């Protein structure tokens, strides 16, 4: 039996005895939430005041900041626990798929000339569903509730067309706050409390 398998068995036995899961990844929602909300809000302000095409490219700042933060927190979690559970792998793969679906969907909408009309709603729905599914997997009710609210809000940008289009970015920023930042802080506090028990 390898050291990793031994650590995994010890952690599994401990969680069975205490009835708790060894929760990790509490900072991932925040690592993506803050860059997403801030960049989308800056994009909203830039489009609203400058009315220039280049303003819509500010979204590139999200992965530039989010990916290194995500890698940092994943490595930090792995160094602390020396393992990754099935739940953690499922959640990680789901969010990677959401990121992939966001990029592919955005490109497809761009080629179909429906990007301005649909992308913010599509992105908001993906974030809301991801938050909801993460909450279901972790049995964490605030994420479930925030995911439902964010998914419902994702329909709002569809009604903001024409001159109201910049406000789609504002709603997308609000969805990021509801689906990533708020549940991220609540989950982070919950994980810290369970570790001290």
């Amino acid at each position: 039996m390898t050291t990793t398998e031994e650590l995994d068995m010890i952690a599994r036995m401990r969680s069975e005895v205490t009835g708790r899961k060894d929760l990790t990844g509490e900072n991932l929602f925040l690592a993506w939430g803050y860059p997403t909300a801030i960049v989308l809000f800056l994009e909203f302000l830039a489009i609203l005041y400058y009315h220039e095409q280049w303003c819509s490219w500010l979204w590139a700042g999200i992965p530039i900041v989010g990916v290194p933060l995500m890698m940092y927190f994943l490595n930090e979690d792995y160094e602390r626990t020396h393992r990754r559970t099935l739940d953690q792998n499922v959640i990680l793969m789901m969010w990677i798929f959401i990121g992939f679906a966001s990029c592919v969907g955005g490109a497809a909408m761009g080629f179909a000339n429906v990007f301005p009309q649909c992308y913010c709603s599509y992105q908001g729905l993906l974030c809301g569903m991801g938050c909801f599914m993460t909450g279901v997997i972790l049995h964490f009710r605030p994420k479930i509730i925030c995911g439902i609210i964010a998914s419902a809000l994702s329909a709002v940008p569809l009604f903001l067309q024409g001159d109201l289009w910049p406000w789609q970015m504002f709603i997308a920023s609000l969805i990021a706050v509801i689906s990533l930042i708020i549940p991220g802080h609540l989950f982070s506090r919950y994980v810290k409390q369970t570790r001290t028990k």
Side-chain angles (χ1 to χ4, degrees):
M1 187 178 284
T2 66
T3 307
T4 306
E5 289 171 339
E6 288 174 358
L7 288 170
D8 194 36
M9 186 177 75
I10 291 167
R12 231 182 8 254
M13 290 170 61
R14 188 184 75 199
S15 67
E16 286 172 9
V17 170
T18 60
R20 289 197 328 245
K21 292 182 180 179
D22 187 17
L23 298 170
T24 61
E26 68 270 17
N27 294 314
L28 292 179
F29 267 52
L30 300 176
W32 284 104
Y34 277 107
T36 302
I38 290 168
V39 167
L40 289 174
F41 186 71
L42 290 175
E43 193 172 333
F44 158 69
L45 292 176
I47 292 170
L48 195 64
Y49 292 109
Y50 294 113
H51 306 289
E52 296 289 336
Q53 187 67 27
W54 63 265
C55 299
S56 60
W57 285 96
L58 290 174
W59 66 267
I62 297 170
I64 289 171
V65 176
V67 170
L69 281 174
M70 179 184 76
M71 297 310 295
Y72 170 77
F73 288 125
L74 283 173
N75 287 335
E76 187 181 66
D77 280 345
Y78 189 76
E79 285 175 12
R80 186 173 54 77
T81 62
H82 301 290
R83 67 191 182 85
R84 196 164 279 138
T85 65
L86 177 62
D87 285 353
Q88 292 165 342
N89 280 328
V90 168
I91 291 168
L92 184 60
M93 291 301 114
M94 179 184 66
W95 280 101
I96 289 172
F97 178 79
I98 286 172
F100 178 75
S102 176
C103 293
V104 171
M109 288 177 197
F111 285 118
N113 289 327
V114 294
F115 186 89
Q117 293 86 5
C118 301
Y119 186 71
C120 286
S121 288
Y122 176 69
Q123 182 69 31
L125 184 61
L126 286 175
C127 281
M129 287 171 53
C131 180
F132 175 80
M133 289 306 299
T134 303
V136 169
I137 292 167
L138 295 176
H139 307 289
F140 190 66
R141 190 170 292 150
K143 283 191 180 187
I144 295 171
I145 294 167
C146 288
I148 291 169
I149 294 168
S151 296
L153 269 178
S154 69
V156 173
L158 293 173
F159 300 99
L160 302 172
Q161 305 295 336
D163 292 339
L164 295 174
W165 181 76
W167 288 91
Q168 285 192 9
M169 299 300 142
F170 178 78
I171 298 298
S173 177
L174 183 63
I175 288 171
V177 170
I178 293 169
S179 65
L180 297 171
I181 294 176
I182 293 172
H185 278 294
L186 293 173
F187 188 64
S188 181
R189 190 174 67 188
Y190 173 72
V191 168
K192 286 172 184 164
Q193 287 173 350
T194 56
R195 281 185 193 150
T196 56
K197 285 181 182 177

